[in-house]
Amino acid sequence: VTSFADRLDEAVARAGTPALVGLDPHLAHLPAPYARAADGSLPRAERARLVGDFCLEVLELVAGRVAAVKPQSAFFEQLGADGVAAWERVVTAARERGLLVIGDLKRGDVSSSAAAYAAAYLEDHPGGARACDAITVNPYLGSDSVAPFLELCRREGRGLYVLVRTSNPGGAELQAVGVPPLSERVAALVVRWGAELVGRSGLSSVGAVVGATHPGELARLRAAMPRTPLLLPGYGAQGAGARDVVGGFLPGGRGALVNSSRGLLFAWRASALGEARWREALLEALERMRGELREALER
Amino acid sequence: VTSFADRLDEAVARAGTPALVGLDPHLAHLPAPYARAADGSLPRAERARLVGDFCLEVLELVAGRVAAVKPQSAFFEQLGADGVAAWERVVTAARERGLLVIGDLKRGDVSSSAAAYAAAYLEDHPGGARACDAITVNPYLGSDSVAPFLELCRREGRGLYVLVRTSNPGGAELQAVGVPPLSERVAALVVRWGAELVGRSGLSSVGAVVGATHPGELARLRAAMPRTPLLLPGYGAQGAGARDVVGGFLPGGRGALVNSSRGLLFAWRASALGEARWREALLEALERMRGELREALER
């Protein structure tokens, strides 16, 4: 099997951009007619269908323009089993359109549970839902909690993104504590976990999540993890710009994905185009993001 | 609303034991006829139904004998949307039988996603699945990642168990690092997060997970979190005995739950009773656990 890292590296080169589209279907922000998903008086299955339909429209818009999408599980789980059925529909549709899928699940558990999570999200379901190409995981429980995921990375060509330094305000409370800071200890584990999963591209299939909202730490963490694909959240709605993410890249604009979720999906809310033209607003925001990243990386 | 801490304290007194039954339906370990859940050639919905049926039988056996159960989400998610439907069935059935439900989900995410997870698991679904009474959460992302859960604890009388020191071998890699160790920093956050959620019982609705496999650390962490309900995994299959958990309790055998999952559900595998009498083996193991805990706590 071709490694996740190699597939991603090729897909980014083909798309011509490291932009990653975060699929965070906030019920309260969806445009009409999908906004009805927020209506608690509708049957839950109907609400979940609207969430899935919205995401499928987004996939249609962005396919061919980006290498990968990142659905956020919380917004699907919010609608229970119906929401998870919508999640499966979205993952399968994205893969059928040739998009890589990074499931934003942030799972982390003792090894027997981790093995079940790995089977849930990194293996195709018999006769049904497709697996994600990669998922995000939480490192707090240490090596044996990550081992079952690594096993599937090896066997099925899947990938992981380990939370190292998150983009949210509270991220520093634990991650920036200590000498060296906890995030650097996690980075060392990420390098070790990924050492046997380096592909022909020179990149490992074990990546790291590092918020673009901390450019200094980003540069240090990039240096500490020279073969690790990074997933950089925080661009756009969370305040980081194209110049803030540059330090996360390897030469040639390789080795990192820059995520934007709300800034793309709900671009119409900050645009003169208005709700009915949310598709144009999304594409305009995506073109702007692609351009800004290209310019920043060419300097 | 009555706080989770107060409801739990009363339920433990009524049950006469701090034993907590972990619902970890490992597909490979289920007794006949449920063992067919492991057969990948069966339709997934049928496999999930078997998992749900097994758990419902366990609920029937343990209701009235313990205060609470702890379903582990991974084993349900493994069967996708069908598995999550089984999860909802199990949570609802447990609550209808008067058992408190601690959803073992270990979620942790930035605040907008955390709010969706909180809605998913701590709020009843309109016209459908019941909420958990409490869930486990991962502290790696800090205070703003926990805030949406705290909001529902306040408003709906729910509870949290924050991972502080886990029972697995890799737990020490990050949690025991630093001076003071990371687990003690997390314990201080747990105390802070729970300070405004202390009920009439004197206990907070923000609890902590501390592995029973590290008795020395357990005693230190108990001292650092004097009003925090503890959830102690590691008893039985993971090697900790009744004496190892004593240091996690407050006077009068209050303030802690001791979890056993495999040691109860799959007691038949280590018993002369055999597979067909798995129910008796489970009840025998549960009575033994209740007796051992009673004796250890009375010393």
Side-chain angles (χ1 to χ4, degrees), chain A residues 77 84 88 107-121 125 148-149, chain B residues 21-30 34 37-39 44-55 70-88 90-91 102-107 121 237-238 259-263 265-266:
Chain A
E77 291 180 53
V84 175
E88 295 185 334
R107 298 299 193 258
D109 216 310
V110 299
S111 61
S112 59
S113 304
Y117 279 130
Y121 298 105
H125 287 228
F149 297 107
Chain B
V21 176
L23 297 173
D24 293 21
H26 289 258
L27 303 185
H29 297 171
L30 299 177
Y34 306 110
D39 179 352
R44 199 178 67 173
E46 169 69 7
R47 301 170 65 196
R49 197 186 56 72
L50 288 162
V51 168
D53 287 349
F54 170 74
C55 291
K70 180 176 73 64
Q72 164 56 255
S73 189
F75 295 103
F76 297 87
E77 291 180 52
Q78 187 173 4
L79 295 168
D82 297 307
V84 174
W87 161 276
E88 295 185 334
V90 170
V91 170
I102 300 172
D104 201 350
L105 293 147
K106 299 189 177 67
R107 299 299 194 258
Y121 298 106
Q238 285 181 65
N259 182 73
S260 180
S261 305
R262 281 170 284 172
L265 266 56
F266 309 122

Side-chain angles (χ1 to χ4, degrees), chain B residues 145-159:
Chain B
S145 76
V146 174
F149 297 107
L150 297 178
E151 169 60 23
L152 279 178
C153 289
R154 250 188 304 274
R155 208 177 73 205
E156 308 277 344
R158 310 296 184 201

Side-chain angles (χ1 to χ4, degrees), chain A residues 13-244:
Chain A
R14 208 177 322 122
T17 181
L20 172 67
V21 176
L23 297 174
D24 292 24
H26 289 258
L27 303 186
H29 296 172
L30 300 176
Y34 306 111
R36 291 167 59 236
D39 180 353
S41 71
L42 287 182
R44 200 179 66 175
E46 168 71 6
R47 301 170 66 195
R49 196 187 57 71
L50 289 162
V51 168
D53 287 350
F54 170 73
C55 292
L56 262 57
E57 274 226 62
V58 173
L59 294 176
E60 192 170 338
L61 291 168
V62 305
R65 291 184 162 90
V66 295
V69 293
K70 180 175 73 65
Q72 162 58 255
S73 190
F75 296 102
F76 297 87
E77 291 180 53
Q78 188 173 5
L79 295 169
D82 297 307
V84 175
W87 161 275
E88 295 185 334
R89 204 175 138 221
V90 170
V91 170
T92 300
R95 295 204 52 196
E96 283 170 356
R97 287 187 175 282
L99 289 158
L100 292 172
V101 176
I102 300 171
D104 202 350
L105 293 146
K106 299 189 176 69
R107 298 299 193 258
D109 216 310
V110 299
S111 61
S112 59
S113 304
Y117 279 130
Y121 298 105
L122 295 179
E123 278 191 310
D124 291 332
H125 287 228
R130 300 283 301 275
C132 299
D133 292 285
I135 63 170
T136 56
V137 298
N138 186 308
Y140 192 71
L141 282 86
S143 294
D144 58 320
S145 75
V146 174
F149 297 107
L150 297 179
E151 169 60 23
L152 280 178
C153 290
R154 250 187 304 275
R155 206 178 75 206
E156 308 277 343
R158 309 297 184 200
L160 291 186
Y161 284 94
V162 180
L163 299 183
V164 172
R165 182 67 174 90
T166 58
S167 56
N168 62 310
E173 286 172 23
L174 297 178
Q175 300 158 25
V177 148
V179 182
L182 184 66
S183 59
E184 293 189 20
R185 290 182 186 271
V186 178
L189 289 174
V190 167
V191 168
R192 202 212 296 165
W193 294 335
E196 287 178 14
L197 284 157
V198 175
R200 282 178 296 106
S201 58
L203 294 164
S204 172
S205 289
V206 180
V209 175
V210 180
T213 44
H214 321 286
E217 290 176 68
L218 174 56
R220 273 200 304 284
L221 289 165
R222 166 41 83 203
M225 300 184 284
R227 291 172 174 277
T228 302
L230 300 184
L231 193 171
L232 311 173
Y235 182 88
Q238 284 181 67
R243 271 178 236 175
D244 298 317

Side-chain angles (χ1 to χ4, degrees), chain B residues 42-284:
Chain B
L42 286 183
R44 199 178 67 173
E46 169 69 7
R47 301 170 65 196
R49 197 186 56 72
L50 288 162
V51 168
D53 287 349
F54 170 74
C55 291
L56 261 57
E57 273 226 61
V58 174
L59 294 177
E60 192 169 338
L61 291 167
V62 305
R65 291 183 162 89
V66 295
V69 294
K70 180 176 73 64
Q72 164 56 255
S73 189
F75 295 103
F76 297 87
E77 291 180 52
Q78 187 173 4
L79 295 168
D82 297 307
V84 174
W87 161 276
E88 295 185 334
R89 204 175 137 219
V90 170
V91 170
T92 299
R95 295 204 52 196
E96 282 169 358
R97 286 187 177 281
L99 290 158
L100 292 173
V101 176
I102 300 172
D104 201 350
L105 293 147
K106 299 189 177 67
R107 299 299 194 258
D109 216 310
V110 299
S111 61
S112 59
S113 303
Y117 280 130
Y121 298 106
L122 295 178
E123 277 190 311
D124 291 332
H125 287 228
R130 301 282 300 273
C132 299
D133 292 286
I135 63 170
T136 56
V137 298
N138 187 308
Y140 192 71
L141 283 85
S143 295
D144 57 319
S145 76
V146 174
F149 297 107
L150 297 178
E151 169 60 23
L152 279 178
C153 289
R154 250 188 304 274
R155 208 177 73 205
E156 308 277 344
R158 310 296 184 201
L160 290 186
Y161 285 95
V162 180
L163 299 183
V164 171
R165 181 67 174 91
T166 59
S167 56
N168 63 310
E173 286 171 22
L174 297 178
Q175 299 158 26
V177 147
V179 182
L182 184 65
S183 58
E184 293 189 21
R185 291 183 185 271
V186 178
L189 289 174
V190 167
V191 169
R192 201 212 296 165
W193 294 335
E196 287 178 12
L197 285 157
V198 175
R200 282 177 296 105
S201 59
L203 294 164
S204 171
S205 289
V206 180
V209 175
V210 180
T213 45
H214 321 285
E217 290 175 67
L218 174 56
R220 273 200 304 283
L221 289 165
R222 167 41 85 204
M225 299 184 285
R227 291 172 173 275
T228 302
L230 300 185
L231 194 170
L232 311 173
Y235 182 87
Q238 285 181 65
R243 271 178 236 174
D244 298 318
V245 303
V246 171
F249 282 83
L250 297 172
R254 294 173 66 229
L257 291 173
V258 180
N259 182 73
S260 180
S261 305
R262 281 170 284 172
L264 298 174
L265 266 56
F266 309 122
W268 62 272
R269 297 176 72 95
S271 152
L273 288 170
E275 180 167 1
R277 295 170 71 187
W278 68 268
R279 295 170 191 79
E280 286 165 76
L282 187 161
L283 288 175
E284 215 176 81

